Amino acid sequence: MYQLTPPNEHLDFGFGITSETYYGSAKLLNEQKKNIQAFQLVEMPISFLYRHSIELALKSLIIIFHKKLQIPYEKESFESKKPKIFTQGKWRPLYSCHFIDELYKYWKDELLLKHLDKIKELAPNGDWNEFIEISKAIPIISYYDKKSSFFRYPVTENETLDLEKFTMKEIDVENLFKMLNSKEAPKTEKNGAKIIYGIKDEGDNIFKAYEQQKELLTELTESLIKVTEYFYGIHIMTRMTLCDGQ
C-alpha cells in the first residue's frame, strides 16, 4: 500500500502522496478559515495549497502512465528519474513545468485518451472517462495562476489580476457615508461583520476608505476545489487499479 511506504520508494517518486497531503491541509484550513487570525489575504495560502495539490497530482499521473504504458521520455527510458513532458513542440523537464493547463493537456490528450483502450485493458475497474467539467475548470485556474505565482506572492507580473485577490479594497468616501447613513444597512448575517477602515486628513475629515471583501474570486475558488477533489480521487483510483495499490 503506497500510503504506508516512504515516498522515495514510490513509483511516482512521491508526487502523489505529497499531493494528497497538500489537499488534506487545504481542506482543513478552508473548513477552519474563520479561525485564522488574519485581517486579510486568508484565502491565498489555502488556494495555493489546492493549486499545488493539482500540480503534484498531474505530475504523479504523468510519471505513472509513462511507466505503466512503457512510453519513453524522448530518448530516455520510461523508468528515468528525470521525467519529461512534451509541450510547446519539444520535450521539457517535468519537474520545472508548473503550467497546470499544459500538464493537464499532456496527461489527458497524450497519455489518457490516446491510450485509453490499453489503460482499460490494464485496469478495467477504473473510470477513465474524461470529465468535461474538469476540462472546463482548468483554463479558469490557469488564467489566474499559470505560473504558480498568483497565490504564492502578493504581487506578480499582472497588476490587474493581483487587485482581484486583495481583501481590502478602496471604496468611494461619499458612497461610504451614504451606506452608513442608510436605514437599510447591508446584510452581514451570512459572513459576519465586515471591516471598514477610513483615513483622515489634518482637518479630521475622511478622505480615503477601504472595505473588507467577504467573497473573492468565487469562480476560481470553486474551480480549485472541484479540480483538486477530482485529482485526489483519480490519483487514488489510479494507484489502486492501475498500480495494484503501489
Side-chain angles (χ1 to χ4, degrees):
M1 181 67 174
Y2 76 95
Q3 292 175 325
L4 301 177
T5 56
N8 63 299
E9 296 182 9
H10 294 191
L11 79 166
D12 69 342
F13 312 122
F15 277 93
I17 191 69
T18 310
S19 170
E20 291 182 17
T21 303
Y22 270 88
Y23 168 68
S25 300
K27 189 171 184 290
L28 178 63
L29 280 175
N30 196 40
E31 291 170 351
Q32 299 294 323
K33 185 165 59 175
K34 291 182 179 180
N35 296 325
I36 298 176
Q37 297 182 4
F39 285 110
Q40 56 176 309
L41 304 177
V42 171
E43 295 81 7
M44 281 183 62
I46 299 173
S47 295
F48 171 77
L49 293 176
Y50 276 126
R51 197 260 185 220
H52 197 53
S53 175
I54 298 168
E55 179 181 327
L56 294 174
L58 280 165
K59 289 179 176 179
S60 168
L61 292 172
I62 288 171
I63 294 169
I64 291 172
F65 276 52
H66 266 274
K67 288 186 174 181
K68 291 302 178 180
L69 296 170
Q70 299 186 356
I71 300 173
Y73 301 105
E74 194 175 15
K75 297 179 181 180
E76 297 182 33
S77 168
F78 55 83
E79 295 284 359
S80 173
K81 292 185 178 181
K82 296 180 180 180
K84 297 180 179 180
I85 176 176
F86 188 79
T87 179
Q88 298 179 5
K90 65 179 182 179
W91 287 95
R92 302 171 183 270
L94 179 64
Y95 297 161
S96 61
C97 179
H98 305 291
F99 299 168
I100 279 185
D101 54 345
E102 294 184 13
L103 290 167
Y104 178 72
K105 185 177 188 302
Y106 179 71
W107 170 73
K108 176 177 69 71
D109 295 343
E110 300 301 321
L111 298 176
L112 176 63
L113 298 182
K114 185 177 284 188
H115 302 278
L116 190 57
D117 291 340
K118 180 63 175 178
I119 294 169
K120 288 183 176 180
E121 180 184 331
L122 293 171
N125 293 325
D127 183 356
W128 304 108
N129 295 310
E130 175 189 358
F131 280 72
I132 302 302
E133 283 190 17
I134 302 304
S135 294
K136 290 181 178 179
I138 290 290
I140 297 173
I141 299 172
S142 181
Y143 173 74
Y144 284 95
D145 197 14
K146 185 176 182 66
K147 298 180 179 180
S148 188
S149 59
F150 186 70
F151 298 114
R152 190 193 299 262
Y153 305 111
V155 292
T156 65
E157 296 174 353
N158 195 322
E159 296 181 3
T160 302
L161 284 184
D162 285 338
L163 293 175
E164 295 189 39
K165 68 189 174 191
F166 296 157
T167 312
M168 300 301 293
K169 297 185 184 295
E170 186 173 357
I171 57 174
D172 182 77
V173 174
E174 185 177 340
N175 289 336
L176 169 62
F177 282 112
K178 287 181 180 179
M179 179 182 69
L180 294 176
N181 294 325
S182 173
K183 294 181 179 180
E184 296 182 3
K187 296 181 179 180
T188 59
E189 290 85 355
K190 181 180 179 181
N191 296 308
K194 64 169 60 177
I195 297 172
I196 296 176
Y197 173 59
I199 301 176
K200 294 182 178 181
D201 58 20
E202 295 179 354
D204 207 31
N205 299 306
I206 295 177
F207 71 94
K208 207 167 193 178
Y210 303 89
E211 181 182 33
Q212 183 187 45
Q213 307 299 308
K214 289 293 184 178
E215 298 291 337
L216 291 170
L217 299 169
T218 304
E219 184 182 34
L220 174 58
T221 301
E222 292 175 351
S223 296
L224 282 167
I225 294 173
K226 181 192 303 180
V227 174
T228 310
E229 290 177 345
Y230 167 78
F231 277 109
Y232 176 77
I234 284 292
H235 170 255
I236 293 177
M237 181 194 75
T238 300
R239 300 302 281 262
M240 301 309 295
T241 60
L242 190 60
C243 305
D244 297 321
Q246 299 304 311

